[in-house]
Amino acid sequence: MKVFPETFLWGGAIAANQVEGAWQEDGKGPSTSDMQPWGILGATRERTPGDSNIKDIAIDFYRRYPEDIALFADMGFTCLRVSIAWTRIFPNGDENTPNEAGLAFYDNLFDELAKHSITPLVTLSHYEMPWGLVKQYGGWGDRQTIDFFERYARTVFSRYQDKVKLWLTFNEINMALHAPLTGVGLPENSSESEIYQAIHHQLVASARAVCACHEIIPDARIGNMLLGALMYPLSCKPEDVLKAQQENHGWQFFGDVQCRGNYPGYMQRYFRENNIVLEVTPQDREDLRTTVDFVSFSYYMTGCVTTDDELNNQARANILNMVPNPHLKSSEWGWQIDPIGLRTLLNELWDRYQKPLFIVENGLGAKDSLNADGEIIDDYRISYLNDHLVQVREAIDDGVEVMGYTSWGPIDLVSASKAEISKRYGFIYVDRDDEGNGTLKRIPKKSYYWYQQVINSRGAALK
Ligand code: BG6
């Protein structure tokens, strides 16, 4: 039986705005996520007194985290990926002094993880930013946001320097191209030039955070985070192959800047040919030279691209547009399931960057139901995760350096794209529905015991 390396980190990944709730407690300010009651794909709605948003309570992790962490520990987790809500620390984003109650919450959370010997992997910004910065400054469109972010990053690095040694800058940074409000705090109808300028500011901020992390916590490692949207050519027609390469450049661009320290030639050409003129200062160029220590990414599916217009018109639009792959099955949400693609992507990223890789999201969103005995028999989830983990092990055999695997949503949570709880990813069921009814009770699913075995056997239990 092949086992995973001893140092391999096993666990799960969650994000503040999808689990915590307590959206106004202990001085927290409103974030972009609080203005998206229907998720990233839905409209933005500013808060009015008495309105409701499923995320206001989410799964009440803010209060129930000791119970949840005890369950993660029971499964054998050695790592938990969490995010800090920027608005708990700087409620409007531009304050000079942080909010002590917000800092204290994460102190307690990290202490709880330490009690169970679970290593925290912390994302600085997971799909949310202070609404105050969006309203008053225009989000990442304004260069001042770089300084506000750096202040926030330095504050949390200093505060948690003894507790957190693994950090990530921006979650799925390439999503800004597809969801501008979520990614860079810009309105959905922003021009491409505005979006790329905001992205430039965010890339500079990411590099500055890497620099600050190295300075404040010399023994920490900090990575970027990409949505690993691997695209295949639908056919072997050279035009399709070229188009797939260009589509892949769409996300590789972010990794290339963050790992190599400058803008790649294919992007400069794209800017030239599309009249996109970015304001890039000599100091920005200098800042960008600080690169990440490792590369992390999410992986859910692959897609196909083609130059055939008729087929393109049938493309599935979720957040990304892609033509269905006739060789793959799909989840209930139409995401195509492709375990081998994960091995391909791991090899691709390793070849490209030669930096350690961390799979920080992977999982199956599915509807679960309780049987007559009150159990959740989620064999479909077990099979999805098993098949992906087998491919991770294959990639390690290929020579790829993989630091760990944190499956997405080890406990059911509010989905990002449509704010649904019925799209469940967890090993642990949470009794709450899309309308907010339910006791919030936690129930381990069949997959809970399966993952426990996989971790305890360092992967030998995989089939
Ligand atoms: C990733 C995000 O895009 O995918 C998560 O980083 C998100 O925040 C996950 O929850 C799954 O997407 P969804 O829409 O099913 O929640």
Side-chain angles (χ1 to χ4, degrees):
M1 264 315 166
K2 290 187 209 162
V3 292
F4 282 69
E6 245 171 83
T7 51
F8 191 85
L9 291 168
W10 294 93
I14 55 179
N17 67 87
Q18 294 173 260
V19 295
E20 285 177 5
W23 79 286
Q24 283 185 303
E25 270 166 65
D26 297 328
K28 180 185 173 297
S31 72
T32 41
S33 168
D34 294 318
M35 306 299 165
Q36 294 176 303
W38 303 283
I40 298 169
L41 294 175
T44 305
R45 181 180 70 176
E46 288 212 42
R47 303 303 302 241
T48 50
D51 67 3
S52 69
N53 179 337
I54 193 88
K55 289 178 265 183
D56 293 352
I57 296 176
I59 60 157
D60 197 27
F61 185 75
Y62 194 71
R63 259 171 283 276
R64 294 171 191 246
Y65 69 87
E67 179 194 344
D68 295 339
I69 290 171
L71 289 168
F72 297 151
D74 180 53
M75 269 190 278
F77 280 24
T78 52
C79 181
L80 183 71
R81 175 178 175 226
V82 298
S83 70
I84 295 178
W86 184 351
T87 50
R88 288 203 192 280
I89 315 300
F90 290 99
N92 198 63
D94 60 354
E95 296 88 345
N96 287 318
T97 325
N99 171 34
E100 177 53 35
L103 287 167
F105 169 70
Y106 293 104
D107 260 323
N108 295 337
L109 177 67
F110 300 142
D111 289 347
E112 196 64 30
L113 289 171
K115 243 168 62 186
H116 294 282
S117 305
I118 296 177
T119 301
L121 165 63
V122 178
T123 315
L124 290 170
S125 177
H126 189 126
Y127 277 0
E128 56 177 331
M129 72 181 297
W131 188 245
L133 294 186
V134 172
K135 291 294 277 185
Q136 284 165 253
Y137 299 88
W140 285 97
D142 190 322
R143 175 170 280 284
Q144 291 180 85
T145 299
I146 305 176
D147 297 324
F148 297 137
F149 181 79
E150 189 178 355
R151 184 181 306 161
Y152 156 62
R154 284 183 175 271
T155 303
V156 295
F157 292 151
S158 303
R159 177 76 171 220
Y160 308 123
Q161 56 183 297
D162 298 324
K163 301 182 181 181
V164 181
K165 306 289 184 183
L166 284 177
W167 295 88
L168 300 175
T169 58
F170 294 93
N171 181 63
E172 294 188 339
I173 186 164
N174 45 318
M175 269 295 287
L177 287 174
H178 313 282
L181 179 72
T182 302
V184 283
L186 291 190
E188 300 301 320
N189 59 0
S190 304
S191 69
E192 237 193 329
S193 291
E194 289 166 332
I195 294 174
Y196 274 111
Q197 184 65 54
I199 286 171
H200 171 70
H201 293 149
Q202 200 169 69
L203 285 166
V204 171
S206 173
R208 283 220 223 148
V210 174
C211 194
C213 182
H214 290 161
E215 185 190 308
I216 299 169
I217 329 178
D219 59 339
R221 282 186 292 171
I222 180 161
N224 61 343
M225 200 300 199
L226 302 169
L227 189 168
L230 186 64
M231 295 291 173
Y232 301 140
L234 189 65
S235 77
C236 54
K237 209 166 99 186
E239 286 82 356
D240 281 2
V241 176
L242 181 66
K243 186 164 180 200
Q245 184 179 59
Q246 288 168 338
E247 282 289 320
N248 284 317
H249 279 163
W251 59 269
Q252 287 163 347
F253 151 60
F254 294 83
D256 290 357
V257 175
Q258 292 179 305
C259 293
R260 295 172 173 162
N262 51 45
Y263 275 65
Y266 61 80
M267 215 54 219
Q268 293 179 19
R269 174 177 183 170
Y270 184 82
F271 292 155
R272 257 192 332 267
E273 292 180 352
N274 291 279
N275 297 318
I276 296 172
V277 182
L278 298 187
E279 186 204 65
V280 179
T281 68
Q283 185 59 48
D284 291 348
R285 286 187 212 286
E286 188 53 37
D287 288 338
L288 287 178
R289 286 154 65 108
T290 304
T291 56
V292 290
D293 303 320
F294 66 96
V295 173
S296 83
F297 65 95
S298 62
Y299 179 83
Y300 294 91
M301 62 189 133
T302 51
C304 293
V305 294
T306 169
T307 42
D308 181 325
D309 285 340
E310 208 174 304
L311 286 170
N312 269 323
N313 289 337
Q314 298 162 20
R316 280 175 308 117
N318 183 36
I319 294 178
L320 306 176
N321 261 349
M322 37 181 80
V323 180
N325 184 329
H327 305 286
L328 299 176
K329 296 206 173 89
S330 298
S331 77
E332 289 170 272
W333 270 262
W335 294 16
Q336 289 204 290
I337 302 172
D338 182 9
I340 292 176
L342 178 53
R343 177 177 174 188
T344 309
L345 181 60
L346 281 162
N347 273 282
E348 163 80 32
L349 287 167
W350 177 247
D351 290 349
R352 198 171 182 96
Y353 301 127
Q354 295 283 296
K355 289 191 191 264
L357 305 176
F358 205 136
I359 304 144
V360 295
E361 285 187 33
N362 172 237
L364 178 74
K367 292 207 168 99
D368 290 327
S369 49
L370 278 74
N371 67 15
D373 298 322
E375 302 159 334
I376 299 107
I377 309 297
D378 54 342
D379 289 319
Y380 36 91
R381 183 168 294 110
I382 293 173
S383 139
Y384 178 101
L385 293 168
N386 179 85
D387 295 354
H388 282 77
L389 277 165
V390 165
Q391 295 302 322
V392 176
R393 196 173 56 186
E394 292 296 334
I396 293 173
D397 267 7
D398 292 333
V400 179
E401 192 177 332
V402 189
M403 295 165 67
Y405 174 92
T406 54
S407 75
W408 178 249
I411 181 163
D412 293 346
L413 39 69
V414 181
S415 85
S417 48
K418 293 193 189 153
E420 296 160 306
I421 291 194
S422 53
K423 188 179 188 185
R424 297 176 183 273
Y425 285 89
F427 304 111
I428 302 163
Y429 183 88
V430 175
D431 178 26
R432 191 161 200 236
D433 67 17
D434 291 341
E435 280 70 52
N437 306 307
T439 59
L440 290 163
K441 186 178 166 206
R442 278 56 172 155
I443 307 170
K445 305 178 193 175
K446 185 175 174 187
S447 57
Y448 177 102
Y449 302 101
W450 168 84
Y451 200 40
Q452 190 176 53
Q453 267 190 324
V454 171
I455 299 176
N456 287 344
S457 66
R458 282 191 13 230
L462 293 170
K463 298 214 168 68

